[in-house]
Amino acid sequence: MATKSEKIALNKIAELGCILCSEVLGIEGSAAELHHCRRYGAIRATSEILPLCPEHHRGNSGLHGLGVKRFEREYKISCEKLLERVSQKLGKDDK
Ligand SMILES: [Zn+2]
Ligand SMILES: [Zn+2]
């Protein structure tokens, strides 16, 4: 299970809101679920988690609905770029 500091980190990621809504659509603060990227195998690190709203996560226009390749084409942004933006935002919004 997640350790306490991991849980705090996960909460912070969720609090950012959907990263696709904010980066691609310009909508801030959409309630987000956490998506674990498994690009590098079964790594379980907070740096591999994307906050996505239910639609962009599990919906027809979302990461699971489209699949990673189509998702990246559709929104013209890679998961890696989104992960990068998440970590930038986490650093900046440290209160
Ligand atoms: Zn979204
Ligand atoms: Zn997911």
Side-chain angles (χ1 to χ4, degrees), residues 33-38 50 52 56-58 63-64:
E33 304 176 340
L34 299 176
H35 171 75
H36 294 242
C37 294
R38 292 207 182 83
L50 288 175
L52 293 168
H56 288 141
H57 186 208
R58 293 173 281 123
L63 192 48
H64 290 282

Side-chain angles (χ1 to χ4, degrees), residues 69-84:
K69 288 228 168 74
R70 277 176 65 202
F71 178 89
E72 292 183 337
R73 260 209 312 269
E74 181 79 18
Y75 299 108
K76 299 179 175 63
I77 192 158
S78 69
C79 285
E80 263 155 26
K81 183 74 193 166
L82 290 172
L83 286 169
E84 209 177 287

Side-chain angles (χ1 to χ4, degrees), residues 34-47:
L34 299 176
H35 171 75
H36 294 242
C37 294
R38 292 207 182 83
R39 183 164 285 232
Y40 312 106
I43 298 169
R44 199 171 54 89
T46 49
S47 60

Side-chain angles (χ1 to χ4, degrees), residues 77-94:
I77 192 158
S78 69
C79 285
E80 263 155 26
K81 183 74 193 166
L82 290 172
L83 286 169
E84 209 177 287
R85 291 294 296 135
V86 169
S87 60
Q88 281 170 5
K89 283 188 156 206
L90 284 175
K92 224 184 289 172
D93 295 348
D94 224 354

